C-alpha cells in the first residue's frame, strides 16, 4: 500500500504565489527574484508532500497548467509568435487578446483555452523534465505530471488561422480530434523518451476529460494513443476525477500500468468496480479522500472501504479524489471559526495527513488506529442543527415553488407600476471598487473605523453612484455594492450556519483568489442583509433602484458545504433566507429585485444524463426565492460567461421576469437561441458592453448589437445593460461606456418610434 498526493495548491500559505506574480507583472520584482521566489515555493512543496511514497512534480504552473501544456507542445497561436519565454507566456495568459478563460470542468477554477490552428506540434519547452532535474538537484526523486492528450485536445478549440482571436473557434470535431491527435501523440512520445533518458520511470497523466461524455469514436482514439505512448519505458498512471469515468470497461482496458478512480464524487466507480472487477496487473490509484470539500474524512469508514477495495486489487495507491488545488492550504491559520468547526475540517495539508494516517493504520500502527477511531467519533456528533429551519423545509409544498400570477400577467402589472421607457437601461450591480473603497473596508476590519464611520463612508459612495447614474440617464439604478468584497462572502458573513475563513484562499485563475465560505449547519438569516443600503439608495432617487441578492445555487456552489444532507436541501435552506430578504425588500418599497445566479451553469454535472436531476433542484431553489414575491415586484436574474445555448429551457424554468446575460463578446449572437423562449412574458437584457475589457464600447457597436437582438426579440422585451458587474473597471472607463450605452438606447428608441408610427400610418392608410 503506497500513498500519493497531487495538485497541492500553488498559492502558498501566505499567498506568496500571488505576490510573486503580481510583483513581477508590475515590475517591482525582477525576473531573477521572481524565479527565485518560485523556486522556493517549489521546494516547500516537498515538505507538504512529506511522508507520501510518490511525490509529483511539474505542478507549479506560472499561470495555468493548460497554458503550460500548450506551450510545451508548441501550440502558440500566430498572434503570439515567435515564442520568447516568459514574455510570450504571460502575453498569452493576460495580454491584449489573451487566450480565453473558461471554467475548468465543474469547478470554479478557470483555465486558458488553447487555440489550435494547425495539426502541427513540437516539443517546445520540456517543463516536466526541467522540474524533475530541479527536484533531483534538491535531493528528491519526483514523478512528473502531465495533462494527457485527450483532455488537452478535448478542452482546446480549433481556430482557423485567419480568424485567430480570443473569441473565435470551436471544440474539435471528431475528425479534427483524430488529425490533431495523430500530430500531438508523437510529441508526447518524444517527451516520454526524453524523460526515460533521464531515468524517469513513471508519469502521472491527468485525464479528467474521460469523466465527461466520451463517445465511442473518442475511446478508440484514446486507446490507440495510449498504446503508442505505452511503448516507451515509462509506466503511465492515468488519473480521471471530478466524476466517475464515462465508460468503466473502456477505461479499464487502456494499455497503461496504473488507473486512478475517484471514489468520492459519487459511488458509481465503486459499483462498476464491484461488477467488472479491476484489471489484473494494474495499479489502482484510489481517490479516497475528498479533494473538493473541506470535511475531515471518516477514516474508520475509509479504512473499511479500503479493505473492500483490497478484495479487488492487490496494488493500491491511496490518493485524494482529485487535485488538492481546490482546497485552501491549511486549517492551522484559522482562529475565528465557530467553535467545534475547526476540528471537523481538513484543507490540503490536513488531507495529506489523512493519507499518512490511513496508511499507518492499514499497516496496523496502534497510535494511528486510535487516531482513526477518535476522528470518526467526533464526526458522528450532531452539529449546528436548527430545528426551526428543518421544520420550515419539511413543511414546503409544491405551491411554495410556483409564483402567481403568470409571467404575462405580472408583466402587465409591472409595466403599469414602473412606467419604464422601451429598451430600458440598467447595470448589473457593482460599480468600481476603487482603492479608496478597499481601504475603508480594511480599516473597518482592523477596527480603525467605527461601524458608524464605515457606514457613512459607504453611504457617501452610494450617493455618488446614484448621482452618476441619474446624470447618465439610466432608467433602473443600482446602489453599487460598495459594501461587498465578494458577492458570496458578503451574504455568508450574515447568515447563520455558514462560516467564513481568514486565510482560506483558493485560486480562481492566474493570481486571482477567493475565499469560499463553509456551510456547516442549517442556514438561516438572523436579520435583513441588504435592506438598509438599498433603501438608502432608493431614498435618493425617484427612479427604481434594484435590490441585489446572490442566488442559492451560486451561494452553494461557490462555498464548501456539509455532506450530511443533500445539496438540494441545502439550496432550499439558502433559498428560504433569500426569500425572507425578498419579502423585506418589498416591504421597504423596493420594486425590482435581482437575484444573481452566475454559477447556475457551472453546477451542471459532467455527464448529460445527470443534468435533469441537477437542474430540477437548482431551478426549484431559485423559484423558492421569489415564488411568494408580489406580482408587481419585478424579479431579475443575471448569468454570465458560460455556454447557455444548451440550457435555455432550464433558464426559462426559473420563471424570472427579466434576465440579463452576457452577449457583447458574441455581439448578441446568444439571442439567436432566445427565439425558443416563451415570448410575450420573459424579458432579456443582452450585455452590450464587455466589462472584462478596458476598451470603451462605441455607440455604433452597441447599436449593432441591439439591432441584432431586435431581429429576434420583440422590442418590448429587450433591456440594455453591460455584460456583468463593473467592479473591476475604473470610473474613467465606466462613465463614457455607459454614456454611449444610454445614447445608443435613446437613438434606438427614436428609430423604433418612427418605425411604429410608420406602420401605424400604413394601417390607417395615411401617408
Ligand atoms: N451583481 C453582481 C455584480 O455586479 C454580479 C456579479 C457576477 O455576475 N459575477 O458584481
Ligand atoms: Zn456577471
Amino acid at each position: 500500500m503506497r500513498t500519493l498526493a497531487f495538485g497541492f495548491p500553488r498559492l502558498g500559505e501566505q499567498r506568496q504565489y500571488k505576490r510573486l506574480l503580481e510583483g513581477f507583472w508590475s515590475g517591482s520584482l525582477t525576473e531573477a527574484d521572481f524565479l527565485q521566489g518560485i523556486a522556493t515555493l517549489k521546494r516547500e512543496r516537498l515538505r507538504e508532500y512529506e511522508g507520501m511514497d510518490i511525490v509529483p512534480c511539474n505542478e507549479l504552473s506560472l499561470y495555468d497548467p493548460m497554458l503550460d501544456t500548450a506551450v510545451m507542445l508548441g501550440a502558440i497561436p500566430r498572434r503570439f509568435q515567435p515564442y520568447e519565454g516568459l514574455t510570450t507566456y504571460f502575453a498569452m495568459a493576460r495580454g491584449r487578446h489573451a487566450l480565453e478563460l473558461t471554467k475548468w470542468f465543474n469547478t470554479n477554477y478557470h483555465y486558458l483555452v488553447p487555440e489550435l490552428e494547425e495539426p502541427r506540434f513540437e516539443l517546445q519547452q520540456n517543463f516536466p523534465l526541467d522540474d524533475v532535474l530541479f527536484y533531483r538537484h534538491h535531493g528528491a526523486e519526483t514523478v512528473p505530471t502531465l495533462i494527457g492528450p485527450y483532455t488537452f485536445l478535448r478542452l482546446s478549440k480549433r481556430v482557423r488561422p485567419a480568424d485567430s482571436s480570443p473569441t473565435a473557434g470551436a471544440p474539435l470535431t471528431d475528425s479534427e480530434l483524430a488529425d490533431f491527435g495523430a500530430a500531438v501523440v508523437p510529441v508526447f512520445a518524444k517527451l516520454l523518451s526524453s524523460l526515460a533518458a533521464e531515468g524517469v520511470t513513471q508519469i502521472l497523466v491527468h485525464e479528467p476529460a474521460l469523466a465527461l461524455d466520451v463517445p465511442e469514436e473518442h475511446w478508440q482514439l484514446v486507446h490507440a494513443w495510449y498504446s503508442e505512448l505505452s511503448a516507451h519505458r515509462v509506466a503511465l498512471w492515468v488519473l480521471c476525477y471530478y466524476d466517475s469515468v464515462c465508460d468503466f470497461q473502456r477505461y479499464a482496458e487502456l494499455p497503461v500500468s496504473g488507473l486512478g478512480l475517484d471514489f468520492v464524487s459519487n459511488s458509481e466507480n465503486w459499483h462498476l468496480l464491484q461488477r467488472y472487477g479491476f484489471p489484473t496487473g494494474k495499479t489502482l490509484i484510489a481517490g479516497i479522500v475528498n479533494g473538493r470539500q473541506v470535511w475531515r474524512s471518516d477514516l474508520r469508514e475509509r479504512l473499511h472501504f479500503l479493505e473492500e477495495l483490497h478484495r479487488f486489487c492487490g496494488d493500491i495507491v491511496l490518493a485524494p479524489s482529485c487535485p488538492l488545488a481546490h482546497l485552501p492550504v491549511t486549517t492551522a491559520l484559522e482562529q475565528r471559526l465557530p467553535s467545534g468547526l475547526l476540528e471537523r475540517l481538513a484543507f490540503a495539508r490536513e488531507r495529506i495527513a489523512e493519507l499518512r494516517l490511513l496508511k499507518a493504520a492499514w499497516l496496523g500502527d496502534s497510535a494511528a488506529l486510535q487516531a482513526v477511531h477518535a476522528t470518526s467519533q467526533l464526526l458522528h456528533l450532531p452539529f449546528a442543527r436548527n430545528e426551526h429551519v428543518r421544520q420550515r423545509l419539511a413543511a414546503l409544498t409544491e405551491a411554495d415553488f410556483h409564483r402567481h400570477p403568470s409571467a404575462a400577467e405580472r408583466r402587465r402589472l409591472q409595466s403599469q407600476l414602473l412606467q419604464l421607457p422601451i429598451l430600458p437601461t440598467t447595470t448589473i450591480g457593482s460599480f468600481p471598487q476603487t482603492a479608496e473603497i478597499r481601504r475603508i473596508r480594511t480599516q473597518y476590519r482592523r477596527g480603525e473605523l467605527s461601524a458608524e464611520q464605515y457606514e457613512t463612508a459607504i453611504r457617501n459612495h452610494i450617493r455618488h453612484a446614484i448621482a452618476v447614474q441619474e446624470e447618465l440617464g439610466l432608467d433602473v439604478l443600482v446602489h453599487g455594492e460598495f459594501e461587498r468584497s465578494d458577492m458570496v462572502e458578503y451574504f455568508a458573513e450574515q447568515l447563520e450556519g455558514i462560516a467564513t475563513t481568514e486565510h482560506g484562499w483558493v485560486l480562481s485563475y492566474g493570481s486571482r483568489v477567493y475565499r469560499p465560505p463553509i456551510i456547516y449547519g442549517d442556514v438561516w438569516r438572523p436579520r435583513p442583509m441588504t435592506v438598509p443600503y438599498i433603501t438608502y439608495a432608493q431614498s435618493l432617487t425617484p427612479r427604481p433602484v434594484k435590490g441585489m441578492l446572490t442566488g442559492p445555487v451560486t451561494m452553494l456552489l461557490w462555498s464548501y458545504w456539509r455532506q450530511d444532507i443533500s445539496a438540494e436541501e441545502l439550496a432550499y435552506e439558502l433559498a428560504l433566507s433569500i426569500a425572507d430578504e425578498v419579502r423585506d425588500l418589498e416591504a421597504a418599497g423596493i420594486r425590482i429585485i435581482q437575484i444573481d445566479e452566475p454559477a447556475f451553469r457551472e453546477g451542471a454535472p459532467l455527464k448529460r444524463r445527470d443534468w435533469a436531476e441537477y437542474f430540477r433542484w437548482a431551478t426549484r431553489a431559485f423559484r423558492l426565492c421569489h415564488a411568494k414575491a408580489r406580482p408587481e415586484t419585478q424579479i431579475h436574474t443575471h448569468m454570465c460567461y458560460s455556454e447557455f445555448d444548451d440550457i435555455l429551457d432550464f433558464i426559462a424554468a426559473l420563471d424570472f421576469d427579466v434576465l440579463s446575460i452576457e452577449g457583447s463578446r458574441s455581439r448578441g449572437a446568444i439571442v439567436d437561441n432566445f427565439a425558443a423562449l416563451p415570448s410575450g412574458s420573459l424579458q432579456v437584457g443582452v450585455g452590450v458592453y464587455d466589462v472584462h475589457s478596458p476598451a470603451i464600447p462605441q455607440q455604433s457597436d452597441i447599436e449593432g448589437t441591439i439591432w441584432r437582438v431586435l431581429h429576434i426579440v420583440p422590442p418590448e422585451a429587450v433591456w440594455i445593460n453591460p455584460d456583468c458587474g463593473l467592479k473591476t473597471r475604473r470610473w474613467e472607463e465606466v462613465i463614457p461606456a455607459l454614456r454611449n450605452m444610454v445614447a445608443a438606447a435613446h437613438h434606438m428608441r427614436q428609430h423604433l418610434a418612427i418605425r411604429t408610427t410608420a406602420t401605424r400610418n400604413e394601417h390607417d392608410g395615411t401617408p
Side-chain angles (χ1 to χ4, degrees):
M1 184 86 57
R2 285 174 288 172
T3 47
L4 157 72
F6 57 94
F8 195 83
R10 309 197 270 281
L11 197 51
E13 196 177 284
Q14 306 293 332
R15 282 181 286 157
Q16 300 94 309
Y17 177 78
K18 179 182 176 66
R19 278 205 307 277
L20 286 166
L21 281 172
E22 291 173 2
F24 179 53
W25 294 335
S26 72
S28 66
L29 272 184
T30 63
E31 181 166 333
D33 289 343
F34 167 66
L35 293 175
Q36 181 103 55
I38 294 290
T40 308
L41 270 180
K42 279 193 187 177
R43 284 200 311 275
E44 282 172 6
R45 300 174 73 80
L46 289 178
R47 215 169 350 132
E48 300 291 356
Y49 285 133
E50 212 168 87
M52 295 294 97
D53 298 305
I54 299 153
V55 174
C57 72
N58 193 31
E59 289 196 317
L60 200 113
S61 169
L62 296 184
Y63 199 95
D64 169 55
M66 276 294 268
L67 173 64
D68 292 6
T69 312
V71 167
M72 175 178 89
L73 301 168
I76 315 292
R78 202 152 299 187
R79 65 182 183 282
F80 298 108
Q81 287 182 13
Y83 185 80
E84 284 167 338
L86 275 191
T87 321
T88 317
Y89 182 90
F90 286 127
M92 288 170 76
R94 58 191 294 279
R96 253 172 78 84
H97 307 301
L99 300 183
E100 186 187 349
L101 272 175
T102 296
K103 299 245 153 125
W104 175 250
F105 295 90
N106 54 2
T107 77
N108 195 18
Y109 175 73
H110 302 69
Y111 75 98
L112 287 162
V113 184
E115 290 170 30
L116 307 181
E117 291 171 352
E118 272 152 281
R120 217 169 347 151
F121 299 93
E122 58 174 324
L123 190 52
Q124 157 119 15
Q125 195 155 339
N126 201 331
F127 292 122
L129 182 61
D130 296 346
D131 237 32
V132 168
L133 299 177
F134 170 89
Y135 281 110
R136 209 173 267 172
H137 179 76
H138 289 97
E141 205 45 46
T142 54
V143 173
T145 56
L146 298 175
I147 290 180
Y150 183 62
T151 299
F152 174 69
L153 294 176
R154 175 90 191 247
L155 269 55
S156 294
K157 57 186 186 181
R158 173 76 203 275
V159 177
R160 315 254 155 215
D163 49 33
S164 160
S165 92
T167 52
L172 277 65
T173 62
D174 287 0
S175 74
E176 285 168 342
L177 191 70
D179 293 346
F180 282 77
V184 86
V185 170
V187 182
F188 273 100
K190 190 166 160 196
L191 173 75
L192 297 192
S193 335
S194 75
L195 291 163
E198 285 293 338
V200 170
T201 54
Q202 189 191 4
I203 297 194
L204 295 171
V205 192
H206 294 275
E207 287 284 21
L210 294 174
L212 299 169
D213 287 310
V214 181
E216 174 55 26
E217 306 83 76
H218 292 201
W219 277 112
Q220 287 172 15
L221 291 170
V222 172
H223 194 96
W225 298 341
Y226 277 95
S227 304
E228 196 173 330
L229 294 177
S230 57
H232 295 265
R233 285 166 296 141
V234 191
L236 300 179
W237 285 8
V238 171
L239 302 175
C240 175
Y241 39 79
Y242 299 140
D243 199 340
S244 51
V245 292
C246 172
D247 183 327
F248 188 87
Q249 286 170 290
R250 286 302 233 147
Y251 186 65
E253 284 162 10
L254 286 181
V256 294
S257 29
L259 289 171
L261 287 172
D262 170 349
F263 292 116
V264 172
S265 294
N266 58 45
S267 50
E268 195 181 59
N269 278 339
W270 171 228
H271 291 310
L272 293 168
L273 181 85
Q274 291 175 86
R275 176 160 349 138
Y276 298 112
F278 192 75
T280 41
K282 286 188 179 147
T283 303
L284 169 61
I285 301 98
I288 55 163
V289 294
N290 201 330
R292 293 289 293 274
Q293 295 287 345
V294 291
W295 312 102
R296 272 196 184 200
S297 310
D298 180 345
L299 294 178
R300 191 164 50 168
E301 181 275 331
R302 294 284 80 185
L303 207 53
H304 179 70
F305 177 66
L306 266 180
E307 277 158 19
E308 296 276 300
L309 266 187
H310 199 62
R311 296 195 286 125
F312 294 89
C313 175
D315 186 18
I316 296 181
V317 175
L318 305 184
S321 62
C322 69
L324 294 169
H326 305 292
L327 303 176
V329 174
T330 176
T331 59
L333 305 171
E334 300 303 327
Q335 298 188 328
R336 293 201 208 129
L337 292 173
S339 84
L341 183 55
L342 185 69
E343 47 271 44
R344 291 165 189 268
L345 297 179
F347 295 171
R349 189 178 291 163
E350 293 75 30
R351 275 289 174 257
I352 295 184
E354 289 184 344
L355 291 174
R356 251 184 253 127
L357 200 57
L358 268 177
K359 180 178 167 180
W362 176 265
L363 296 175
D365 179 292
S366 60
L369 279 165
Q370 240 167 27
V372 160
H373 285 269
T375 2
S376 0
Q377 272 158 20
L378 164 80
L379 295 176
H380 289 117
L381 295 173
F383 192 60
R385 272 178 70 96
N386 178 314
E387 291 313 324
H388 177 67
V389 177
R390 303 304 298 168
Q391 278 161 19
R392 250 183 114 181
L393 216 56
L396 287 177
T397 65
E398 210 39 44
D400 294 303
F401 297 91
H402 295 276
R403 190 173 175 202
H404 291 293
S406 69
E409 177 59 14
R410 296 192 315 253
R411 180 166 170 181
R412 207 180 50 76
L413 291 169
Q414 291 162 15
S415 68
Q416 264 170 16
L417 176 78
L418 294 167
Q419 294 289 331
L420 294 170
I422 199 156
L423 307 181
T425 53
T426 190
T427 62
I428 303 303
S430 55
F431 273 118
Q433 295 258 333
T434 56
E436 144 82 8
I437 288 168
R438 285 197 297 267
R439 203 187 62 231
I440 56 175
R441 223 186 279 121
T442 316
Q443 285 178 331
Y444 176 50
R445 203 165 355 98
R446 293 203 191 121
E448 294 160 22
L449 282 184
S450 69
E452 208 180 354
Q453 286 169 317
Y454 172 72
E455 274 160 32
T456 309
I458 295 287
R459 277 167 198 254
N460 288 340
H461 285 283
I462 294 177
R463 188 152 8 89
H464 172 247
I466 294 288
V468 170
Q469 294 173 87
E470 285 197 317
E471 196 274 323
L472 285 167
L474 287 153
D475 300 305
V476 172
L477 312 192
V478 297
H479 78 296
E481 302 183 20
F482 304 109
E483 76 285 14
R484 308 182 188 176
S485 58
D486 176 285
M487 65 186 289
V488 170
E489 200 177 48
Y490 178 74
F491 290 96
E493 276 167 356
Q494 303 189 66
L495 289 166
E496 293 293 328
I498 312 186
T500 53
T501 70
E502 288 169 86
H503 303 277
W505 301 101
V506 176
L507 277 180
S508 161
Y509 64 91
S511 66
R512 290 296 191 101
V513 293
Y514 73 111
R515 268 184 311 208
I518 301 171
I519 308 177
Y520 63 90
D522 290 319
V523 177
W524 54 282
R525 186 194 72 142
R527 64 190 70 82
M529 304 180 282
T530 63
V531 176
Y533 287 134
I534 307 276
T535 47
Y536 173 68
Q538 183 64 85
S539 75
L540 302 170
T541 175
R543 300 184 185 215
V545 173
K546 282 193 274 191
M548 283 294 158
L549 304 174
T550 301
V553 180
T554 301
M555 286 294 299
L556 181 74
L557 292 173
W558 289 357
S559 303
Y560 299 110
W561 66 88
R562 51 193 281 214
Q563 305 286 299
D564 59 329
I565 66 174
S566 67
E568 172 174 1
E569 281 176 280
L570 216 39
Y572 294 169
E573 289 190 0
L574 286 156
L576 286 171
S577 296
I578 298 164
D580 292 347
E581 192 72 15
V582 167
R583 191 199 53 218
D584 288 344
L585 283 168
E586 280 182 325
I590 301 302
R591 290 162 285 171
I592 306 185
I593 299 171
Q594 179 173 311
I595 307 171
D596 290 324
E597 282 292 19
F600 186 65
R601 172 71 170 83
E602 160 193 330
L606 298 189
K607 298 180 186 65
R608 287 279 171 132
R609 55 147 212 241
D610 302 325
W611 277 23
E613 170 57 10
Y614 162 73
F615 282 114
R616 180 190 63 76
W617 65 255
T619 7
R620 282 166 69 85
F622 185 87
R623 293 164 68 127
L624 187 53
C625 300
H626 68 72
K628 293 278 154 61
R630 297 177 188 158
E632 55 275 20
T633 302
Q634 191 172 61
I635 300 290
H636 291 219
T637 188
H638 164 72
M639 295 179 191
C640 49
Y641 297 97
S642 313
E643 280 300 324
F644 294 114
D645 295 353
D646 48 5
I647 62 161
L648 284 173
D649 288 345
F650 299 119
I651 295 181
L654 297 175
D655 198 25
F656 48 76
D657 298 306
V658 180
L659 163 72
S660 64
I661 203 161
E662 173 206 349
S664 64
R665 290 193 303 175
S666 51
R667 294 186 47 82
I670 171 100
V671 286
D672 291 354
N673 301 293
F674 286 1
L677 286 182
S679 61
S681 48
L682 304 182
Q683 305 170 56
V684 281
V686 178
V688 294
Y689 163 19
D690 178 1
V691 306
H692 289 83
S693 158
I696 292 165
Q698 295 308 301
Q699 186 181 332
S700 54
D701 291 339
I702 298 177
E703 289 183 15
T705 307
I706 302 175
W707 269 126
R708 186 154 182 186
V709 175
L710 288 174
H711 279 300
I712 310 273
V713 186
E716 314 78 62
V718 176
W719 285 63
I720 313 291
N721 49 256
D723 261 2
C724 192
L726 297 163
K727 71 182 197 185
T728 57
R729 299 261 65 90
R730 297 176 305 132
W731 280 110
E732 295 84 325
E733 295 156 349
V734 162
I735 290 176
L738 292 180
R739 202 178 293 291
N740 291 346
M741 186 183 95
V742 171
H746 284 185
H747 192 216
M748 298 298 292
R749 279 175 203 162
Q750 279 167 8
H751 265 296
L752 292 174
I754 294 166
R755 211 167 62 173
T756 336
T757 328
T759 4
R760 199 175 305 130
N761 290 348
E762 259 167 49
H763 286 280
D764 293 352
T766 40

